[in-house]
Amino acid sequence: MQTFTDKVAAITGAGSGMGRSLALELARRGAHLALSDIDESSVANTATACRALGVRVTAQRLDVADRDAVFAWARETATAHGKVNLVFNNAGVSLSVPVATLREDDFTWLMNINFWGVVHGTQAFLPYLMTSGEGHIVNTSSLFGIIAMPTQSAYNASKFAVRGFTEALRMELDLARAPVSCTCVHPGGVATNIVQTSRIDDSISTLTGVDAQTHRRRANKLIDVTSADAAARQILAGVERNARRVLVGADARRVDKLARLLGASYQAMVVWFYRRSAMARKPSSNERDAAARSTATK
């Protein structure tokens, strides 16, 4: 897609983070927008900011896990805007919990948003993208759709699934010589609020040695690598060159190279790192003895 001017783009998770940045960047480039988010007030704020840039914007609350609602949104978008050229299946949530204590309802909640939300958005909008004569689907996976991490089994499952789904879709579109293409996006650490809204189970301490609050605090520090605005620009550059895959951020590019170099051996490296970190957090025998003596004298 050479230009976004006068194109119509539908974006899920547009109330904050990369979704909001994508909406604003597309508006600056002259694209009209259909925005959605589970948080009605946040998507309304994004819509107001985009309208100020002179483009036509529709916005609504949407739960991407609700298949019927997503299909209705696609129909309403096509009716309101006359066409749809792009869909960004961007909405996502996170969950940190060991497999042994992973509850089925939490797993279902995450998969319904991260994976089925992508499937719903793709299937709902694909007919309209075909009709437009020039369409593009952008599905958000993750760095954790390239490598797996302890306590991230559910999140990994959803993001690996998005990757497989999108790569298969891209080949189908190529085989059909369709006027639609697609891109799978793998963000590394991007400054968004996904960690703040994530579900973190206290049982992670059995593997990581830290409680949920400490885990959240450390995760916040790790993800603040690439700004959401920079991520949006990288994603749109990928759409312009019809990239099959977009690695967002230097950290994503480094980890991708490492995974390809090491293959499955990267898993042993991750385990070594976690064990080393856990040992570093444990007090030495001298420290334990000093603490015991201090307690005894009180």
Side-chain angles (χ1 to χ4, degrees), residues 113-232:
I113 297 168
N114 287 7
F115 176 63
W116 285 110
V118 168
V119 175
H120 298 158
T122 297
Q123 292 187 318
F125 280 95
L126 185 55
Y128 303 108
L129 301 181
M130 289 286 199
T131 301
S132 76
E134 185 181 18
H136 205 101
I137 299 164
V138 181
N139 291 337
T140 301
S141 178
S142 170
L143 174 60
F144 288 175
I146 296 173
I147 64 167
M149 295 292 284
T151 76
Q152 298 297 307
S153 59
Y155 189 76
N156 285 139
S158 69
K159 295 304 185 178
F160 272 84
V162 168
R163 174 184 173 182
F165 173 80
T166 308
E167 291 181 4
L169 172 64
R170 172 67 182 244
M171 290 185 283
E172 290 179 9
L173 295 170
D174 287 348
L175 279 170
R177 294 185 171 86
V180 179
S181 192
C182 69
T183 297
C184 191
V185 175
H186 295 271
V190 178
T192 70
N193 66 353
I194 190 168
V195 173
Q196 292 300 96
T197 58
S198 68
R199 296 183 182 181
I200 304 176
D201 196 281
D202 283 327
S203 62
I204 65 168
S205 63
T206 60
L207 290 176
T208 65
V210 299
D211 59 19
Q213 183 177 358
T214 303
H215 178 85
R216 192 186 304 275
R217 185 171 63 252
R218 291 179 176 175
N220 266 323
K221 292 179 180 179
L222 290 173
I223 68 165
D224 193 6
V225 176
T226 303
S227 72
D229 290 346

Side-chain angles (χ1 to χ4, degrees), residues 93-99 102-103 106-111 114-115 144 149-161:
V93 293
S94 70
L95 169 67
S96 299
V97 57
V99 172
L102 174 58
R103 293 183 293 272
D106 282 336
F107 203 164
T108 299
W109 164 77
L110 181 137
M111 290 297 292
N114 287 7
F115 176 63
F144 288 175
M149 295 292 284
T151 76
Q152 298 297 307
S153 59
Y155 189 76
N156 285 139
S158 69
K159 295 304 185 178
F160 272 84

Side-chain angles (χ1 to χ4, degrees), residues 209-269:
V210 299
D211 59 19
Q213 183 177 358
T214 303
H215 178 85
R216 192 186 304 275
R217 185 171 63 252
R218 291 179 176 175
N220 266 323
K221 292 179 180 179
L222 290 173
I223 68 165
D224 193 6
V225 176
T226 303
S227 72
D229 290 346
R233 291 191 293 270
Q234 291 176 40
I235 292 168
L236 295 183
V239 174
E240 288 175 324
R241 66 177 185 271
N242 195 24
R244 294 177 184 273
R245 179 184 295 179
V246 173
L247 299 167
V248 176
D251 56 335
R253 293 188 290 273
R254 285 194 300 269
V255 169
D256 178 61
K257 289 179 181 178
L258 187 66
R260 286 189 280 116
L261 177 66
L262 295 179
S265 297
Y266 84 84
Q267 298 170 31
M269 181 179 290

